[in-house]
């Protein structure tokens, strides 16, 4: 299942992020692809804000992952841009992060291609002529259920 959104401005992104925050469930995995500056961190940050995270939300560019403790699960914000080899996913012990209730947003997931456990949504953002296009490809049944809820949501 696939759905395309046009993001004209930050406000549209904030509304989409609010919708995403309302539909995701524990053990949901989202990959985020798109060029440098496409808006992967911005979208994730807005989702975190809507889940109640206050204070600074840093891009995990250097730390590779930033964890956020929520009542029902840990939300991991990964950024794999600095990986030079997919095996670094195991070297960093990231596969073990999936043994607890979690939700993961993974920027540059393609850098660990094939090693990330079941991805529910593959989000691709492209930025051209001042317009952002965001495509959600749902890859699982849970992903389809959440995407249907998002499309029917009154916040977007
Ligand atoms: N939806 C949006 N509307 C307006 N501006 C945006 C939007 N998304 C991102 N930006 C702006 O674009 C810049 C880069 O965004 P961001 O850091 O989210 O990109 P990124 O895809 O995470 O890049 P990287 O691959 O380097 O991690 C930021 O300055 C941000 O303010
Ligand atoms: Mg980023």
């Amino acid at each position: 299942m696939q759905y395309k959104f046009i993001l004209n401005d930050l406000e549209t992104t904030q509304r989409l992020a609010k919708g995403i925050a309302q539909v995701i469930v524990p053990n949901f995995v989202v990959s985020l692809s798109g060029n440098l500056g496409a808006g992967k961190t911005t979208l994730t940050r807005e989702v975190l804000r809507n889940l109640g995270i206050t204070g600074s939300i840093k891009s995990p560019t250097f730390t590779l992952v930033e964890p956020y403790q929520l009542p029902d699960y840990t939300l991991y914000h990964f950024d794999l841009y600095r990986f030079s080899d997919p095996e670094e996913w195991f070297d960093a012990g990231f596969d073990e992060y999936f043994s607890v209730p979690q939700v993961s947003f993974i920027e540059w997931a393609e850098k660990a291609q094939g090693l990330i456990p079941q991805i529910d949504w593959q989000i691709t953002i492209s930025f051209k002529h001042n317009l952002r296009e965001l495509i959600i490809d749902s890859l699982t049944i849970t992903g389809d259920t959440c995407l249907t809820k998002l499309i029917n949501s009154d916040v977007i």
Side-chain angles (χ1 to χ4, degrees):
M1 188 176 169
Q2 187 187 73
Y3 202 79
K4 191 201 283 186
F5 300 86
I6 302 294
L7 305 175
N8 297 311
D9 49 26
L10 189 57
E11 204 203 313
T12 327
T13 307
Q14 285 167 334
R15 280 207 305 276
L16 177 63
K18 185 175 182 181
I20 292 175
Q22 287 174 356
V23 302
I24 53 174
V25 291
N27 299 321
F28 203 75
V29 178
V30 177
S31 73
L32 294 150
S33 303
N35 290 340
L36 285 168
K40 303 177 290 295
T41 299
T42 303
L43 180 74
T44 308
R45 185 180 286 128
E46 294 299 330
V47 171
L48 283 162
R49 287 266 176 257
N50 278 286
L51 290 170
I53 301 298
T54 53
S56 82
I57 296 174
K58 282 179 254 144
S59 170
T61 313
F62 296 102
T63 53
L64 299 178
V65 61
E66 293 284 343
Y68 299 90
Q69 193 56 54
L70 291 163
D72 298 333
Y73 55 82
T74 306
L75 193 148
Y76 294 115
H77 181 190
F78 291 95
D79 185 340
L80 309 183
Y81 182 69
R82 289 158 63 88
F83 272 19
S84 48
D85 184 319
E87 286 296 320
E88 287 180 47
W89 177 259
F90 294 119
D91 298 344
F94 287 163
D95 54 326
E96 286 152 33
Y97 284 44
F98 293 79
S99 57
V100 299
Q102 50 74 41
V103 164
S104 295
F105 279 71
I106 312 174
E107 296 187 43
W108 295 98
E110 55 271 37
K111 296 261 188 176
Q113 194 126 41
L115 303 183
I116 298 168
Q118 191 125 156
I119 295 172
D120 294 287
W121 282 0
Q122 199 173 296
I123 296 186
T124 310
I125 311 176
S126 55
F127 183 37
K128 275 181 242 148
H129 312 297
N130 261 5
L131 268 191
R132 286 183 165 80
E133 185 184 87
L134 186 151
I135 295 173
I136 299 180
D137 279 297
S138 166
L139 308 179
T140 63
I141 292 169
T142 307
D144 287 354
T145 307
C146 295
L147 185 53
T148 304
K149 276 193 200 156
L150 177 66
I151 295 164
N152 295 321
S153 153
D154 53 11
V155 302
I156 61 160

